[in-house]
Amino acid sequence: MLLAIDTATGTVGAAVHDGDRTRAEVVRQDSRRHGELLAPAVSAVLEEAGLTVADLTEVVCGVGPGPFTGLRVGVVTALVLAHGRGLPAPRGVCSLDALAHAVHLGGAPATDVLVATDARRREVYWARYEMTPSGARRLEGPAVGPAASLPEQVRSLPAVGRGGLLYPDALPGQLPDAPLDVSPGVLADLAVRLSGGTHPDSGRGLLPPEPLYLRRPDAVEARSR
Amino acid sequence: MNDPLVLGIETSCDETGVGLVRGRTLLFDAIASSVEEHARFGGVVPEVASRAHLEAMVPTLERACREAGVRLADVDAVSVTAGPGLAGALLVGVASAKALALALGVPLYGVNHLAAHVAVDVVEHGPLPEPTLGLLVSGGHSNLLLVPDVTHDIRSLGATMDDAAGEAFDKVARILGLPFPGGPHIDRVAREGDQVAIDFPRGLTSGRDLQRHRFDYSFSGLKTAVARWVQAREAAGEPVPVADVAASFQEAVVDVLTRKALLACREHGVDDLLIGGGVAANSRLRALAQERCDAAGVRLRVPRPGLCTDNGAMVAALGAQMVMRGRPPSGLDLPADSSQPVEQVRS
Ligand SMILES: [Zn+2]
């Protein structure tokens, strides 16, 4: 029984997956209160699935990229929860991959797809995917930068995530009804497929449970405190 | 519950602390510090501290349990610093504590960092007299607290209006070309100096200031006075007597700290003074406080230096006292509050 957690985008949530399907998912929409919302969401998703923490055998978490403060809440929750239950260390999934996987599950367009999320400071986290029949394969990224600085051919692709909503001039391809934030249930499904070898990126495997920061700490800002 | 086993997590600044306390007995206190990573910036960089907390959390939990000889499954409650402190750093500890409480199915206590600095002394010197007067001095805080009940009732008598005492030590160390953190270096250098060589100002101790800010502190004027004095020397082409400057500066700080603490003891009828926080490790502060407490008939309590600086044991010690006093636990929606007032002992 797998518990999936993600706090890399505007949602905070958890899902339980039994290897075949997502049994329950609890998602809260609030990008500034990850710390308050996540633990109750984990508790709630277990209850909804009729399980207890003792039933969990595996933990996975979205490792971003995403705004650091919220991202760390998810990663450290996964780490300590797994440690506290005596489970193997959690494994990480690139949160942008989970957004691309949502596009795959929802019936993908026939072209490559851009995933772009809010990186704050007028920048986006982004990655480019090839949509294959068995899943979305990451071709470029994850990377961070101003939307207008993305390669020309990437900027015009069909886009999902909040990046296209924030910077419609630079990223005009926003898909209607596109997923904007990570669904932990979709992330769980992706983790199962990645480890089961049925996903085009299975070779790359899952990631260590460490945030994909992509940016160095901003020490100058801290100096003026 | 008689002797609850409580695990405490502290991440309010640059130390990742995990302590294990059974009742009033300290089992182990594990600390991972990122201070070296901050040294080159001359101060704590919040993002660097937050990243370090995340990396250190599970290894520090493991080490605490191993060294204490307990299993996580035996833990009766988890307590954690909910504030005050650096927002992003606090959040790593609070999320960890929630995950642990959830994993173990035990109650969670979100506690006040300043209260924990006071509470830790029970593991060293036994139950706290009620009330106790707390003088907390560190790089982040300078507070005078009246503590009728450390699990429930703490009143702020005064605090610094500007720099914390430890911050003043850091800044003056920089002026004198001494390394960060400045406290231990000034303490060491000052032993060779004359503490009455230079008459540096004592902030908020004269006439109207003392009326209006009776138990408040101010150290930024002192820091400026030191800087001006050193600059004048340098401008005149004369050597700076580093030991004398350090000793005179240190004397000005500890004079005001102890003078106001003893005044508060007298005016509030308190017979017990407890000094905590990193600056409590300062040898001159300990000596002068002892001298003045002896003269005033006040009993002085100072935890050993390792328990004065930020650590997990203090959070565990406070959590254990809350469990023993039957205080209600916090919810899983406990927020981290970077500016949590000291009166809010539990969140
Ligand atoms: Zn402190």
Side-chain angles (χ1 to χ4, degrees):
Chain A
M1 196 65 65
L2 176 148
L3 175 75
I5 287 170
D6 188 275
T7 55
T9 55
T11 48
V12 186
V16 179
H17 197 287
D18 63 12
D20 288 327
R21 64 183 184 92
T22 297
R23 292 267 293 264
E25 180 185 61
V26 170
V27 177
R28 311 273 184 243
Q29 188 81 43
D30 191 331
S31 59
R32 303 268 170 186
R33 288 171 63 230
H34 290 113
E36 287 158 64
L37 299 172
L38 181 59
V42 172
S43 183
V45 81
L46 288 169
E47 197 181 316
E48 201 179 307
L51 302 170
T52 73
V53 281
D55 297 313
L56 298 176
T57 56
E58 197 181 342
V59 180
V60 299
C61 60
V63 291
F68 304 157
T69 305
L71 179 58
R72 270 190 290 266
V73 168
V75 175
V76 87
T77 297
L79 280 166
V80 175
L81 197 59
H83 178 66
R85 290 307 313 163
L87 299 175
R91 292 186 296 164
V93 173
C94 171
S95 300
L96 304 186
D97 292 2
L99 274 162
H101 189 55
V103 178
H104 166 77
L105 296 177
T111 68
D112 289 359
V113 163
L114 166 68
V115 174
T117 62
D118 184 8
R120 311 232 171 109
R121 301 184 185 188
R122 309 198 55 76
E123 293 187 335
V124 294
Y125 294 116
W126 67 276
R128 173 191 192 166
Y129 296 84
E130 176 192 3
M131 306 310 291
T132 78
S134 54
R137 191 160 72 91
R138 178 149 36 91
L139 300 177
E140 270 183 272
V144 63
S149 75
L150 269 55
E152 183 73 47
Q153 67 279 18
V154 172
R155 282 200 277 126
S156 52
L157 290 174
V160 303
R162 290 187 181 273
L165 291 190
L166 289 166
Y167 307 105
D169 293 343
L171 309 175
Q174 188 75 11
L175 285 171
D177 305 322
L180 299 176
D181 298 306
V182 173
S183 144
V186 169
L187 187 133
D189 185 77
L190 174 59
V192 169
R193 294 188 194 206
L194 282 169
S195 41
T198 59
H199 187 278
D201 272 340
S202 286
R204 181 149 44 193
L206 283 92
L207 300 168
E210 297 157 8
L212 295 169
Y213 286 118
L214 307 189
R215 281 179 182 144
R216 296 181 156 282
D218 190 344
V220 179
E221 182 180 67
R223 252 187 142 152
S224 60
R225 269 187 76 245
Chain B
M1 210 179 289
N2 259 347
D3 274 338
L5 176 61
V6 176
L7 184 146
I9 296 177
E10 153 64 34
T11 63
S12 68
C13 191
D14 60 343
E15 321 273 4
T16 311
V18 175
L20 281 156
V21 166
R22 193 188 297 280
R24 281 191 289 270
T25 306
L26 173 60
L27 302 184
F28 195 75
D29 184 31
I31 291 270
S33 176
S34 60
V35 66
E36 312 253 298
E37 296 172 56
H38 305 288
R40 66 199 167 102
F41 302 112
V44 174
V45 182
E47 177 60 22
V48 173
S50 299
R51 291 186 183 194
H53 287 310
L54 175 59
E55 286 169 28
M57 186 53 66
V58 168
T60 309
L61 281 169
E62 275 176 333
R63 197 171 137 242
C65 288
R66 193 172 60 239
E67 299 285 339
V70 302
R71 298 175 316 147
L72 274 181
D74 299 329
V75 166
D76 296 310
V78 175
S79 62
V80 61
T81 300
L86 301 171
L90 286 169
L91 208 46
V92 176
V94 170
S96 300
K98 290 177 182 180
L100 197 56
L102 205 54
L104 303 176
V106 300
L108 168 75
Y109 290 82
V111 307
N112 189 297
H113 177 83
L114 300 179
H117 269 304
V118 175
V120 71
D121 198 47
V122 301
V123 306
E124 192 138 272
H125 298 115
L128 284 179
E130 297 184 338
T132 288
L133 197 104
L135 168 62
L136 298 187
V137 273
S138 75
H141 20 269
S142 303
N143 301 73
L144 266 181
L145 309 173
L146 181 62
V147 187
D149 175 350
V150 74
T151 68
H152 184 60
D153 183 9
I154 298 188
R155 298 165 206 175
S156 172
L157 299 181
T160 183
M161 313 288 292
D162 37 62
D163 294 348
E167 223 177 327
F169 273 89
D170 287 340
K171 288 176 177 172
V172 167
R174 204 182 314 174
I175 293 168
L176 295 177
L178 300 170
F180 172 86
H185 295 283
I186 291 201
D187 194 356
R188 175 177 50 81
V189 171
R191 281 177 210 161
E192 313 295 320
D194 179 359
Q195 68 214 29
V196 296
I198 309 153
D199 187 19
F200 286 128
R202 268 64 170 165
L204 303 182
T205 56
S206 60
R208 224 180 54 186
D209 276 347
L210 191 57
Q211 293 310 314
R212 256 197 294 172
H213 295 289
R214 195 153 192 80
F215 300 119
D216 290 325
Y217 295 112
S218 166
F219 298 108
S220 84
L222 170 60
K223 170 203 69 193
T224 308
V226 174
R228 287 220 183 99
W229 196 93
V230 169
Q231 275 162 13
R233 272 294 179 113
E234 284 168 344
E238 291 169 41
V240 175
V242 171
D244 285 349
V245 175
S248 300
F249 156 75
Q250 177 173 273
E251 194 66 13
V253 174
V254 304
D255 176 26
V256 183
L257 287 175
T258 54
R259 208 194 296 180
K260 293 206 173 193
L262 269 302
L263 181 65
C265 283
R266 191 166 70 237
E267 293 191 358
H268 288 273
V270 181
D271 297 328
D272 295 85
L273 171 64
L274 185 152
I275 306 184
V279 179
N282 181 276
S283 63
R284 182 59 190 151
L285 174 59
R286 286 179 179 237
L288 188 61
Q290 191 64 62
E291 197 178 296
R292 289 180 171 177
C293 281
D294 289 347
V298 167
R299 288 179 293 262
L300 176 65
R301 297 166 68 117
V302 191
R304 67 182 132 92
L307 294 178
C308 281
T309 46
D310 293 350
N311 64 78
M314 67 190 212
V315 181
L318 179 51
Q321 287 165 81
M322 286 187 176
V323 174
M324 290 188 285
R325 290 246 168 143
R327 302 286 172 217
S330 311
L332 281 180
D333 58 349
L334 166 75
D337 182 355
S338 60
S339 55
Q340 185 167 336
V342 67
E343 288 82 2
Q344 190 183 333
V345 181
R346 188 184 47 81
S347 302

